Amino acid sequence: MSLVHLPVAPSDAAARRAAKPVVVYPNGTLKAPDIGLLEQARASMVKIDEVIVPPREGRAFSAPKGHFIRIVSMDGPQVGDLNLWNADDLSERFFSGKTRALHATHVTTGNRLWSTMPSLRPMATISHDTLGWYGFDEDGGGVHDVIGTRCDPYTNRLLSGGDYHNCCHSNLCHALAEARGISTRQAEPHVHDVLNVFMCTGFTRDTKQYFMKASPVRPGDYLELFAEIDLLGALSACPGGDCSATHSSDTSACYPLKVEILRPDMALLKDWPFPARSGYQLQP
């Protein structure tokens, strides 16, 4: 029988723990997007495309710069896993870790979805969120997280010993492969950590473990993004359904999701500061 030996706390342990926390990127460090201008543009929107993501599957979509992307709950509570790429350069993709650091563990209206280095620029701005009322609940749970990854068949095999093929990772691989006319093996390295749309998650107060709970999303709710660059996206309708009990299985009730692409009067956005790639150059 092996024994786990815990390290002995030093005499000044309490003083070390008493250090005051410092927010790394305080509110106001970033220039806030002009949500008022986006509201004006939203009032002129017309739908130009629509993609239905079937339950336990994934689909890709495209959104030109200056257009809006609306992810809509249709028939029942359903979580979606979202990937975003620069439509012209798959190496520039959504950076969930930096988005989390710059904003919070969960995102909502006014927050931005940032791209990977060396570009590091807003790919999209959240222009409207019908679940913005949720905030954080008594368990510490919030909606639209950038802390989880995505359910995947590798972790499923690791934990269960079995294979399940409709995980969000696999769905995103298939969606990107179809959109780009490449194999799923070629697509897989481009699939990345996600925005968990509509998912309600947090960390347990005692053990700090990642948890999920039933999503508060209902038919008609939506998360809306404003495309800051030309975007290729992929969305998976998670096999966990509302993620109230499990994921990576066929036991949960699952529903389709809808992606709408909406075009505003572009003249209203003539002064919008569409972002260039970062001007920083890595030193040799």
Side-chain angles (χ1 to χ4, degrees), residues 23-45:
V23 175
V24 178
Y25 303 112
N27 291 341
T29 303
L30 289 171
K31 184 178 180 179
D34 188 345
I35 295 298
L37 180 54
L38 289 185
E39 282 294 321
Q40 294 178 41
R42 292 182 72 243
S44 69
M45 294 188 304

Side-chain angles (χ1 to χ4, degrees), residues 73-88:
S73 170
M74 296 180 65
D75 302 328
Q78 176 65 46
V79 165
D81 284 38
L82 178 69
N83 267 189
L84 294 175
W85 299 269
N86 179 333
D88 301 312

Side-chain angles (χ1 to χ4, degrees), residues 84-261:
L84 294 175
W85 299 269
N86 179 333
D88 301 312
D89 178 7
L90 293 182
S91 70
E92 184 181 7
R93 59 197 190 190
F94 173 52
F95 191 175
S96 66
K98 187 59 70 177
T99 299
R100 179 173 65 248
L102 288 171
H103 296 295
T105 55
H106 300 74
V107 292
T108 189
T109 305
N111 294 153
R112 304 182 116 158
L113 307 183
W114 294 79
S115 72
T116 46
M117 294 176 278
S119 296
L120 193 60
R121 58 176 168 172
M123 303 184 81
T125 296
I126 300 178
S127 52
H128 198 78
D129 174 14
T130 65
L131 294 176
W133 55 267
Y134 192 89
F136 288 92
D137 59 36
E138 292 184 356
D139 296 311
V143 183
H144 312 311
D145 89 61
V146 284
I147 49 179
T149 54
R150 56 201 177 276
C151 58
D152 70 89
Y154 304 99
T155 304
N156 185 77
R157 174 180 274 205
L158 176 70
L159 298 178
S160 72
D163 290 343
Y164 184 75
H165 304 295
N166 292 331
C167 298
C168 288
H169 175 84
S170 308
N171 294 343
L172 294 169
C173 289
H174 288 293
L176 178 60
E178 182 177 358
R180 278 293 193 256
I182 57 179
S183 70
T184 52
R185 296 283 181 87
Q186 291 172 311
E188 187 173 28
H190 298 290
V191 169
H192 49 280
D193 286 352
V194 297
L195 168 60
N196 282 309
V197 180
F198 305 141
M199 192 171 184
C200 188
T201 61
F203 293 100
T204 58
R205 299 190 189 281
D206 50 358
T207 60
K208 305 302 180 184
Q209 289 175 285
Y210 182 56
F211 71 77
M212 61 186 188
K213 60 189 293 185
S215 172
V217 70
R218 296 294 181 268
D221 279 325
Y222 62 88
L223 181 71
E224 187 183 274
L225 311 174
F226 173 70
E228 300 274 6
I229 64 174
D230 291 336
L231 290 175
L232 171 65
L235 183 68
S236 170
C238 182
D242 68 355
C243 289
S244 59
T246 186
H247 57 66
S248 301
S249 78
D250 288 326
T251 60
S252 299
C254 290
Y255 303 93
L257 292 170
K258 179 169 60 174
V259 180
E260 297 177 339
I261 308 301

